[in-house]
Each structure stands twice: as structure tokens, then as C-alpha cells.
Amino acid sequence: DAAAEGVRFGDDPRQMLDIYRPANAGMMLPVIVFCYGGGWDSGDRGGYEFVGRSFAAAGFLTIVHDYRLVPEVRFPAFVEDTARALAWTHANATAYGGDARRIFFVGHSAGAYNVMMAALDRRYFKAAGVPDDAVKGIVGLAGPYDFLPFDIPATRNAFSQWPEPGDTQPVSFARGDAPPMLLLTGAADTTVFPRNTMELARRQRGMGAAVDVKTYDGVGHVGIVLALSR
């Protein structure tokens, strides 16, 4: 069960998080901050209890956070919230038995986008007061990282008002000194095509960064995260 629920990391009602701890765990646990998807306009942390419990069962102190959504906000508010949730975790993980020196950033779909943008574009950590080296690894599940032009309602609604479209794309901020990445995609994903994963991996490797890619045959967009429920 959750060790704490509805913990605030900001003043907005959407800026709240839940914390999951392994049963009978000691201190100095590795930490996962998980960001769910939903096209930037839906989702809530309560629907991802299975993720919190799954990672906690594997020995991680796990943070599952909400973030502000379209249409109340547009880019970059949801990325800013993800960075703020990480900042809260970096400052407070120790109080819940976590090791603030071993934080891993994990996201699915739009959540993988939020995590990747927050980690690659240094402006977000700086604004949230997060040290550059706060994240030791990033895991992206079926993330959209390279999706210009904005040709579906979800991306138009979230990003089209931004004056420089390139500023919204994680691939624009590829850098060799980024934390190591594990990028997962399903070969049967027709919502966020695997080429997003492949292009980010290509650019990161071109910069000399450490990237692992895993492609799962027969797995679709939702199945790749629902697999954690097992």
C-alpha cells in the first residue's frame, strides 16, 4: 500500500503525489519517480497504483505524481510540474527511506515525454532547483520524442501555441552528458510509433551518450505499461 497519499509538491490541486515503499524495507532505497501518460489531457495518479506497487515490490521507493493538464494549461506547464515533482523527491526522499543519490526518472507515453524533456533541456531542472546530477538514469516507455508536425488533436492542443515548435521536441536537446537511458517500445504500437524511440536513441548515441533500446514484438502502446501489473 501507499506509504503516503496526496502529498503536495506545489499549490495547484494537480501538484500532488503518492509514495510507495517496499514492505519491511530498510533505508537508503533506490528511488523511482514515475510519470504516467494520457495525451497531456487526462490521467491521475490513482489509476497507476499498480505501477507504484510493482516498483515497490522490486525494492524501489516509488513516487507517482500528478501534473497539470490541457486545456487548463499548455506546454511547458506539464514538463515544469514533472521537474517540480523530481525536486520534491530529491529534497524529501530520505525522510521516506530513499537514497536521494539514486533517483531514476521513469515515464510512459506523454509521461515519458515529460520526463525526457525535463531531463534533457537543462532549463527545467534549473527552474525547479534540481541539481544537474540528480537523476542517475531515465527509462522511457513508448515515449513521443520526435513528433513534428502537430498533426493530431493531442499534440495540437498541447503544443501548437508555442512559437518555436523545435523547442517542444526532446530530440532537439539530445546531449552526450545526459543520464544513461533505457528506451522501451512495442513493435505493435500505432499510437506513438517506435521511430520516436529509435530517433532519440540515434541522436543520443551520436552525442556519445549511453542508451539501451528494447523493442517488444506484438506489444502495443498500452500493453507496455500494463505489463507492470503482472
Side-chain angles (χ1 to χ4, degrees):
D1 293 333
E5 296 182 352
V7 178
R8 292 192 174 276
F9 65 89
D11 296 332
D12 190 272
R14 291 286 306 178
Q15 293 169 331
M16 299 175 77
L17 55 84
D18 296 340
I19 304 165
Y20 298 84
R21 253 182 73 81
N24 306 314
M27 304 297 282
M28 302 303 283
L29 299 165
V31 182
I32 282 177
V33 177
F34 178 78
C35 188
Y36 55 77
W40 302 283
D41 64 5
S42 64
D44 69 86
R45 66 188 191 280
Y48 290 85
E49 180 183 1
F50 73 94
V51 173
R53 293 169 66 92
S54 178
F55 286 141
F60 292 89
L61 181 72
T62 306
I63 312 298
V64 180
H65 68 90
D66 282 335
Y67 51 92
R68 288 171 293 167
L69 299 171
V70 175
E72 283 73 28
V73 299
R74 302 289 195 276
F75 174 84
F78 33 80
V79 181
E80 293 167 346
D81 285 357
T82 301
R84 290 184 71 176
L86 181 75
W88 184 96
T89 301
H90 187 261
N92 294 282
T94 305
Y96 293 89
D99 183 353
R101 298 167 301 178
R102 290 192 294 160
I103 297 175
F104 299 86
F105 227 176
V106 183
H108 170 247
S109 190
Y113 169 89
N114 292 353
V115 160
M116 206 62 69
M117 278 297 293
L120 287 178
D121 183 345
R122 299 179 193 276
R123 290 175 287 191
Y124 295 108
F125 277 16
K126 183 176 181 181
V130 180
D132 274 347
D133 62 351
V135 170
K136 293 302 179 279
I138 309 169
V139 184
L141 290 80
Y145 313 122
D146 179 29
F147 53 90
L148 292 178
F150 305 131
D151 55 3
I152 61 171
T155 56
R156 281 197 298 267
N157 293 340
F159 300 100
S160 62
Q161 89 297 340
W162 195 253
E164 291 293 337
D167 285 353
T168 70
Q169 302 297 293
V171 291
S172 298
F173 298 95
R175 53 187 177 90
D177 60 347
M181 292 180 188
L182 171 61
L183 302 179
L184 313 178
T185 186
D189 191 340
T190 56
T191 302
V192 176
F193 291 107
R195 67 166 186 78
N196 284 267
T197 290
M198 303 311 169
E199 182 60 17
L200 180 61
R202 185 186 72 81
R203 295 206 194 188
Q204 283 294 107
R205 286 169 176 160
M207 300 277 188
V211 184
D212 268 348
V213 175
K214 293 190 182 298
T215 303
Y216 297 93
D217 289 339
V219 173
H221 188 66
V222 176
I224 201 166
V225 70
L226 287 183
L228 290 167
S229 67
R230 296 195 289 271

